[in-house]
Amino acid sequence: MLTPLDYVVLALYAVGIVAFGLKAGGRQTTTQDYFLGGRDLPWWAVCFSVVATETSTLTVIGVPAVAYAGPLTFLQLTVGYLIGRVIVATVFLPRYVRGEMQTAYAFLGSRFGDRMRGMASVTFLLTRLLADGVRLFATAIPIQVVARAAGFEVGYPAVILTIGIVTAAYTYVGGLKAVVWMDVVQMGIYVGGALVAVGLLLGSPAAGSFAAATEAGKLQLLDLDWSGWGMLLTSPYALPVAVLGGAVFSMASHGTDQLIVQRILATRSLTDAKKAMVWSGIFVMLQFALFLGVGLLLWIHYGGAPLADLGLTRGDELFPMYILEEMPPGLRGLLLAGIVAAAMSTLSSSLNALAGSTLMDLLERFGTTPRTPAQALSLSRVLTLVWAGVFVGFAMLFTGLDNPVVELGLGIAGFTYGGLLGAFLLGLLSRRATEADAMTAFGVTIVAMVLLIFGLWWSAEIGAWVVDWRPTAEAREALGLRAVAWPLYPVIGSALTIVLGMGLGLRRPGADPAGQRQTSL
């Protein structure tokens, strides 16, 4: 149970962090201030903000759940993440910075045209709604645990709505600069809290031991156990799948997703942008290792007990339960506050990115352009509120699912990340492909990925691929059906977009449609 000291800490922290965020944001006068922080943020602050944005609550409660349920092979993904960010820093960032762009999709507009830019932007908006719906739902999990401990029976929908309202209010005022500086503070708090949890778990009496964990395979870092290409394609943590999938995923998320690119464009120079990008990969690797370690130690602490025996319905509730029941008073209040506030700062930046892409990629290209900077800023804030309402609704979609939220959030991006990355690479690699070619390849890829994710399964028993639209769990188990590994979604999607786009471009031998639109900005 929470003590009065915990409630005091929660209240003071909530008030203090909001006041800090508003002060750090300063006065917003233009959309560049609101969406890019005036392009005057230090690289290390942007680096920490990138890390906090992509991992926040999904890492704090989701990664320990993954480690509790299985081995440490999830860490293999971070090797690919680092490789992907090095490629983004080398290939993508120079084009973004030289073009002085405000969104990631301005490159596609310069290379192909406004229709392709708009198509990519709409795809980004839909992807963010789904992915941020998971993030918002993830934030509701520890809050509900706290509410139960205080004697209040509240459902996820009520918690989600409350978080959405508070986040929208903060984002409406603060802008990106406030979000970045809040991320820096929040990251320090929840990482520090995780380190404290590790220390407490190491020093507490445990139901199990490291020897038992080793015997159960919990300390396994590399997954080298696969047989045949079919099985390899269905094993998300097999070493080559994890590294390749992690690299391509990172290239897509950090090279084409406005949520991350927006922060990188807020740095002072290309050199700063590259440092923020690469170092974020290193810190993400360390942070994932930390929270996987928390999950391992929780497994040892509880003797590997099933979740039902602990009174839990989801693995994502495990770490919040430990914080609530076994951390010292005051400290648990601070850590719970840090988890919630970090998630809210991440969600606020998502709203900021959604509003920015809507204004600059869609309305200013296909609608009415605001006449003055003040009008543009006012419209940006209205769009922030609109998107807040929309993605609160999307968050409600995930309340009945059982997947660990970190896997769910990463898997959702597979629908579109491959197509987005493929479109960017098509613009860089092919001078023949036109806007129509790119749009056709991109659209076909999105449809193909939906079919792949929902309808294509591998059966070791019958040794073949089976196409079935969402087969029942009983049918999948009877036939030994396994879905394609989610880290491969971006790999397949990007390859398909590039091949289709280049193939369509070959219909016009000798033509150079890029002559009017330079691939190098």
Side-chain angles (χ1 to χ4, degrees):
M1 295 293 293
L2 293 179
T3 66
L5 177 60
D6 293 314
Y7 288 114
V8 170
V9 170
L10 282 167
L12 291 177
Y13 186 79
V15 173
I17 202 64
V18 170
F20 172 80
L22 295 177
K23 181 176 177 58
R27 184 169 177 265
Q28 314 294 319
T29 58
T30 67
T31 55
Q32 180 161 297
D33 292 336
Y34 194 70
F35 294 125
L36 295 177
R39 296 185 187 270
D40 191 36
L41 293 173
W43 73 267
W44 57 268
V46 171
C47 171
F48 291 151
S49 179
V50 168
V51 174
T53 297
E54 64 182 312
T55 56
S56 62
T57 301
L58 296 184
T59 298
V60 174
I61 67 174
V63 173
V66 171
Y68 192 89
L72 305 179
T73 51
F74 190 90
L75 192 62
Q76 297 170 123
L77 290 168
T78 64
V79 177
Y81 288 172
L82 181 57
I83 294 172
R85 288 171 214 232
V86 172
I87 296 174
V88 169
T90 304
V91 178
F92 284 42
L93 294 189
R95 289 170 170 79
Y96 285 146
V97 174
R98 286 203 304 267
E100 295 185 353
M101 299 175 181
Q102 291 190 333
T103 76
Y105 312 112
F107 168 72
L108 292 178
S110 298
R111 170 58 180 89
F112 293 116
D114 285 342
R115 290 184 302 167
M116 184 63 219
R117 177 179 180 176
M119 188 177 186
S121 179
V122 169
T123 302
F124 157 73
L125 297 177
L126 293 176
T127 303
R128 282 264 60 86
L129 283 175
L130 289 171
D132 291 340
V134 177
R135 289 176 182 268
L136 182 52
F137 170 56
T139 311
I141 293 173
I143 293 181
Q144 190 188 53
V145 172
V146 173
R148 287 176 184 170
F152 300 103
E153 287 298 326
V154 295
Y156 285 127
V159 178
I160 288 171
L161 181 60
T162 302
I163 298 171
I165 292 173
V166 175
T167 303
Y170 171 77
T171 310
Y172 181 88
V173 177
L176 182 67
K177 185 179 292 186
V179 169
V180 167
W181 286 113
M182 275 191 66
D183 283 347
V184 173
V185 175
Q186 305 305 339
M187 180 182 170
I189 290 174
Y190 68 70
V191 169
L195 291 171
V196 171
V198 168
L200 292 174
L201 285 166
L202 288 174
S204 66
S209 65
F210 278 98
T214 302
E215 184 178 349
K218 304 294 294 182
L219 300 181
Q220 180 185 358
L221 286 172
L222 301 179
D223 185 351
L224 303 176
D225 183 18
W226 63 80
S227 57
W229 284 103
M231 295 301 293
L232 179 61
L233 292 175
T234 62
S235 302
Y237 301 129
L239 181 60
V241 173
V243 174
L244 176 61
V248 176
F249 181 91
S250 188
M251 288 174 62
S253 63
H254 288 63
T256 69
D257 193 325
Q258 174 66 6
L259 183 67
I260 302 299
V261 174
Q262 180 185 31
R263 281 167 163 67
I264 298 300
L265 293 177
T267 55
R268 296 164 180 166
S269 65
L270 175 59
T271 300
D272 282 358
K274 289 182 176 180
K275 287 194 291 186
M277 178 64 68
V278 175
W279 275 100
S280 72
I282 296 172
F283 282 116
V284 160
M285 185 180 294
L286 296 174
Q287 185 167 279
F288 270 61
L290 173 62
F291 284 100
L292 285 170
V294 170
L296 172 64
L297 291 173
L298 286 172
W299 188 91
I300 294 173
H301 181 75
Y302 293 114
L307 295 176
D309 292 351
L310 299 176
L312 304 176
T313 58
R314 301 178 54 90
D316 307 305
E317 297 173 343
L318 182 67
F319 189 34
M321 181 193 73
Y322 172 79
I323 294 171
L324 189 64
E325 295 183 353
E326 304 197 38
M327 276 195 163
L331 180 60
R332 60 189 170 201
L334 183 62
L335 186 56
L336 286 171
I339 292 174
V340 174
M344 289 173 60
S345 68
T346 299
L347 293 170
S348 68
S349 66
S350 300
L351 288 177
N352 192 263
L354 288 166
S357 188
T358 302
L359 176 67
M360 291 177 282
D361 291 321
L362 298 178
L363 295 183
E364 290 185 354
R365 290 295 181 275
F366 305 102
T368 302
T369 303
R371 296 181 179 179
T372 66
Q375 290 177 337
L377 182 60
S378 297
L379 179 58
S380 301
R381 287 176 167 154
V382 170
L383 290 171
T384 298
L385 297 180
V386 171
W387 282 118
V390 174
F391 87 67
V392 163
F394 270 75
M396 304 290 186
L397 299 176
F398 304 104
T399 57
L401 299 181
D402 297 326
N403 307 65
V405 286
V406 66
E407 291 187 349
L408 186 60
L410 294 175
I412 284 173
F415 285 92
T416 57
Y417 268 1
L420 287 171
L421 177 61
F424 274 73
L425 294 177
L426 178 65
L428 295 175
L429 299 175
S430 173
R431 295 187 61 83
R432 294 179 183 271
T434 64
E435 183 177 48
D437 297 334
M439 293 179 67
T440 301
F442 184 76
V444 170
T445 297
I446 298 301
V447 174
M449 292 310 301
V450 172
L451 295 175
L452 171 67
I453 293 171
F454 283 121
L456 189 60
W457 308 79
W458 166 259
S459 173
E461 280 73 7
I462 62 178
W465 293 105
V466 177
V467 178
D468 192 352
W469 187 256
R470 303 183 69 178
T472 63
E474 292 77 9
R476 292 199 302 269
E477 183 177 355
L479 294 175
L481 297 180
R482 301 177 65 188
V484 177
W486 59 263
L488 291 178
Y489 296 161
V491 178
I492 297 171
S494 58
L496 183 59
T497 303
I498 294 170
V499 170
L500 286 176
M502 287 187 169
L504 292 171
L506 292 176
R507 295 176 302 164
R508 294 170 298 279
D512 184 13
Q516 296 178 351
R517 300 186 186 277
Q518 299 299 317
T519 60
S520 176
L521 301 179

